[in-house]
Every structure is written in C-alpha cells, then in structure tokens.
Amino acid sequence: MTHQVERKKRCYDSVTDYFTSAKFFIYLGHALSTWGDRMWHFAVAVFLVELYGNSLLLTAVYGLVVAGSVLLLGAIIGDWVDKNARLKVAQTSLIVQNSAVILCGILLMVIFLCKVQLSSLFNGWLLTLCYILVISIANVANLASTATAITIQRDWIVVVAGEDRSRLADMNATVRRIDQLTNILAPLAVGQIITFTSSMAGCGFIVGWNLCSMCLEYFLLWKVYQMTPALAIKTSQKEDEQELKQLNIQKELEAVQKPSENSELMSGVAEASSVEKNGCCYNITQPFRTLRDGWVAYYNQPIFFAGMSLAFLYMTVLGFDCITTGFAYTQGLNGSILSLLMGASAITGILGTMAFTWIRKRCGLVRTGFISGVAQISCLALCVVSVFMPGSPLDLTVSPFQDITSHFMGDSSLPEANPTTEHSLITQTHSFINGSTSAYEIEEMKPQVVSYLSVSFLFAGVIAARVGLWSFDLTVTQLIQENVIESERGVINGVQNSMNYLLDLLHYIMVILAPNPEAFGLLVIISVSFVVMGHMMYFRYAYKTLRSRLFLCFSSDPKNEIDNPSPPESDKV
C-alpha cells in the first residue's frame, strides 16, 4: 500500500515538474505563436483575394514582398538578434509582430466596412493606399515573426537544452510536431469562422486572439528567462570583433618592410578611423556591410553544404500548397479528398519527427540526415513514375509557355487551348476555395479524368516523402544549432531563412512560366532533380564529416578505438 502511494506521488511530482518546466513553457508559447501565425497567413491571403474582386494580384504582390524582404533582410535581422540581449530581442519581436497583425486586422475591417466610400475618394487612390498599408504592415509582422523564430527556435532552445544533445533533439522534434498540428488545425478553425459568419468576424477573431496571445506569450517568455539563468549570459561579439581587428592590424604591420610605407599605413589607418567616426557614409553603408558579412560568414561555415541542401528542398512543387492542390483539382479530386490527403501528410510529418529521434539515438545525427535523404528520394521516385502512368496530363506537344506568350504577345495563331487548361492552377484553386465559382461552373470546369492512377502515385509519393523530409529538416536544424558559435547563431540562421525563401520564390516563378496541367509533369521532374541535388550536397558534407572523425579516432589511438568503439555521437555538446 505504501509502495503504491509513493509511486503515485512520484508520478504526480514528475507531471507537475514537467508542466512547470521551462521546456513546457517554450512549447506552450510556441504553440500560441504558431497558431496565430498560421491563422493570419491563411486569412490574409483570403482577405486580399476577396477585397480585390477575386483576383490574385494583391496576394501575389504580398507573397513577392514577403519573400523579397526576408531574402534581403534575413542577415540583418539575424545580426540584430546576435547583438542584443535575448529577452529584449524576444519581447520586442513579439510585441512588433502581434501589434502589426492587430493593426492590419483593424485596417482590413475598416476597408471591408467602407470599401465603397474609399473607392470613390480621390479617384480610388485612397483605397489603393489602404492596400499598400495592409501589405506593408503584414510584411512587418512577417519580419518580426522571422526574428521570433530565430531567437526562440534557434537560440533559446539550445540554451534551455544545455549540453544534452538528446534533449535538444527531443525539443526540436516536439516543436516540429506543434508546427504540423497547427498547419492543419489553425487554417481550418479560422476558415470555418469566415465561412459561417463573415470576413469581418474573421478579422475580429484574429485581432482578439493576437491581443490575448501577446500578453500570455510575454509572460511565458519572462518565466522561461527567469527559470534559465544561462539565457542572461550572452557571448559579446564586440570582443571578437576587436580581436579580429587587432589581428588584421598586426598582419598589415608585419607586411610592411619600409619605414616610409609604415608611416603611410599608419596615416591611412588614422584617416580611415576618422572617417569612420565622423562621416555619415559609414553609418549609411552599415546595413550593406552587415548583409555582406552575414553571407560571407554563412559560406565559411562548416555546415554550409548542409544548409544549402535544406534550401534546395524548397525548390519543389511537391508540397501541400496551392500549386499541388490546384493540380489535384484539375485531375478531378474534390475538396473532401484533398482534406483527407492533407491530414495524411500531417500524420506522416509527425511520424518523421518521431523517426528522427529514434534514428539519431542509434545512428548519430549526421547519419540520420543521410538515411532521411535516401528515404525521401526513394519515395519521390513514385512522383516521377506518376508522370508516365495512365491518367497523366503530360503532353510534350503543348508548349509550357503557351499561356505566357499568348497573353503578352497577343498571338491569335496559337492553337486553341483545352477548356480545362485555360485557367492556371493557382487561379482555379483560389476560386474554388473562396466560393467565387458556382457549383454548376465547378462541375463544368472539372476535366473528364480517364484514370486516377497517375494522381494516386503522385500523392502517395508526396505523402510518404514527408517522413524523410521532416526528419532531414530536423537534422540540418540541429547541425546548425550545434556547429554555429553563439555570437553568429542569429545571422547564420537569418541567411538560412533567406536561402529558403529564395528557392521557394524560384519555384513559384517556375509555375508562373509553365502554369498548364500538361506541363506539371515537367515541374515534377525538375522538383525531384533539385531535391536530389540538395541531398547530394548533404551526402558530401556527411562524407567529409564522418571521414574526418574516423581519421581523428584512428590517429589518436587506433588500437583502443578498435577494441573499445565509442557510440556514433556523444550526447554531450
């Protein structure tokens, strides 16, 4: 009896300790933040389409502005994260992000209420100004969200995990599981509100959520900071910069052989320092130098090829975005089936996070990335096979640039397009989602599919490949966390985000150039090629890393290493 009471008490204490730990507070704060982000990203695209007469122009401009901003400012945001105190960075980015979403939501509500009056003032320029403000404020919110992701997911988690790599891997995996769940549930929740009430109610709900979430997240950040004293200690980058400057000065002085040259050098240094202190050009060019230094530092990192391999995975149409959804719709799949497929992809993504922790404990971190890459490529082979299966719309006789040339050149001599291919994939998808197409028109637009074998192979490969994809993503994330020094953690992750956005932007450009379903098979082959190239970069990194470790082991004590082999990787950083 006493033994059972003690066991219950220990169980209660362990549960209490977990729900009051810094780790759980990070999970809770991340869940609140991610839920708000996913709702906003889904809703703002729907709102912009509805406001602009069911056109994708504003949505396309918003996506271009967001991608371009992160591409250009990713390194600068990361440098700001590195050079400021952790609590200040986290709280500032949190307040800016949520305040921007709240302000943008209120502005959208005003536009929905007074759109007719605004369009009649100043020949519609006032309404255009409101659109510009909405996109600009939403872009600020996305940049602040990027800063929050860098400081929490790439820095705070590393500090909270301490020197335990297994704990760091578990925390990274849990964060990804939260991402997978919110990716499905948050858009579903806000979509139901917009569908059964109105866009105004959807804006109001998002504004209220971000206001309450901001206060709770602020408290959770402060609580984690108080419970983890190591967060208050941050490596000073100024000391590193001063040492680097001193080394450069010493090298310059050693290269000087004549006294005259020495005097000229010293006068040049003094003149440069005076310009640096007194001139405004130095301050103006500071962001550009920060951007340059960030990309140079990223290139010089030992995990450069691992980071590039992750970025190459963004150059693909084989994901559950509007591109793949639009193609599935042209192949006769309805909304119910697509929702089930999206749910299956979320489940396989969660399985990928579980596979990561299991494989890492048995094979080590570097080998986990290799195994994940092989698994993803093997599954994507089904997508390549689907291009040549019965029911595939691949038609090499139809030019993939037919819509582009006919639109911009006005060429009426081109052959008449099939009615099912007159609309691009993205336009059909958004019209279907936003309810701008009637049920009769939807039935008329649906093509007569001969066989579902091709699209079945395609989605089987996409869904199965997400196990390897998310396991590989976690591998590269932890490699960056473990191998990048603390003073460069922010800027390196900022550049990594820029690379991801660059390849993601290229894949949208690729679809714009070839929007017809007949050309989607070519896009699939190109996407798989980029994924293979990305993993080849990682295989090179893994080969060099494992070879150097093997060389160090045998050069230190080969006999002892053979007799008493050590585990693949230690659990201590």
Side-chain angles (χ1 to χ4, degrees), residues 502-564:
L502 174 61
L503 272 297
D504 187 58
L505 184 63
L506 290 179
H507 111 269
Y508 279 108
I509 295 175
M510 179 176 66
V511 176
I512 291 173
L513 294 177
N516 294 328
E518 290 85 356
F520 192 79
L522 296 177
L523 303 185
V524 169
I525 296 174
I526 294 173
S527 299
V528 175
S529 301
F530 268 86
V531 172
V532 171
M533 285 189 290
H535 285 300
M536 291 301 294
M537 293 181 185
Y538 182 83
F539 294 162
R540 182 188 179 209
Y541 163 80
Y543 173 75
K544 292 179 64 176
T545 302
L546 295 176
R547 186 181 64 175
S548 61
R549 290 181 182 178
L550 187 64
F551 175 76
L552 290 175
C553 290
F554 278 89
S555 62
S556 59
D557 192 354
K559 184 176 184 304
N560 184 46
E561 188 66 28
I562 295 175
D563 295 338
N564 301 297

Side-chain angles (χ1 to χ4, degrees), residues 130-323:
C130 291
Y131 290 153
I132 295 174
L133 286 176
V134 167
I135 293 175
S136 301
I137 298 172
N139 183 47
V140 171
N142 184 75
L143 293 175
S145 177
T146 301
T148 302
I150 291 174
T151 188
I152 300 298
Q153 299 181 35
R154 302 295 188 267
D155 187 30
W156 281 48
I157 286 180
V158 179
V159 178
V160 171
E163 297 184 349
D164 193 341
R165 289 186 177 183
S166 295
R167 188 183 183 191
L168 177 61
D170 292 337
M171 293 184 69
N172 286 329
T174 304
V175 167
R176 283 296 180 274
R177 290 166 196 155
I178 294 173
D179 290 339
Q180 290 292 314
L181 290 174
T182 54
N183 277 337
I184 300 297
L185 299 179
L188 181 63
V190 72
Q192 298 302 313
I193 295 174
I194 295 174
T195 301
F196 293 102
T197 55
S198 65
S199 298
M200 280 283 296
C203 285
F205 178 78
I206 293 174
V207 168
W209 175 276
N210 280 270
L211 182 61
C212 299
S213 176
M214 178 176 62
C215 300
L216 184 55
E217 288 179 59
Y218 193 94
F219 169 76
L220 292 173
L221 287 174
W222 177 82
K223 195 69 177 176
V224 173
Y225 188 81
Q226 295 294 324
M227 298 174 65
T228 313
L231 289 172
I233 304 172
K234 196 169 187 178
T235 303
S236 176
Q237 196 176 24
K238 295 181 179 179
E239 297 178 358
D240 297 338
E241 293 176 352
Q242 291 177 357
E243 292 177 359
L244 183 61
K245 289 181 180 179
Q246 291 178 359
L247 290 175
N248 292 333
I249 293 174
Q250 289 178 1
K251 289 181 180 179
E252 292 175 353
L253 292 177
E254 289 175 359
V256 175
Q257 297 179 355
K258 296 180 181 180
S260 59
E261 294 177 352
N262 189 16
S263 61
E264 291 177 359
L265 178 62
M266 296 303 295
S267 62
V269 172
E271 183 179 356
S273 62
S274 63
V275 172
E276 179 178 333
K277 293 179 180 179
N278 301 325
C280 62
C281 294
Y282 181 83
N283 295 327
I284 294 176
T285 58
Q286 177 66 33
F288 299 100
R289 283 183 282 106
T290 301
L291 182 64
R292 178 202 63 192
D293 295 341
W295 283 88
V296 171
Y298 179 78
Y299 176 77
N300 292 327
Q301 291 294 319
I303 44 84
F304 169 72
F305 282 103
M308 284 294 294
S309 66
L310 179 62
F312 265 61
L313 302 190
Y314 283 78
M315 178 63 179
T316 178
V317 296
L318 301 175
F320 277 90
D321 54 6
C322 60
I323 306 299

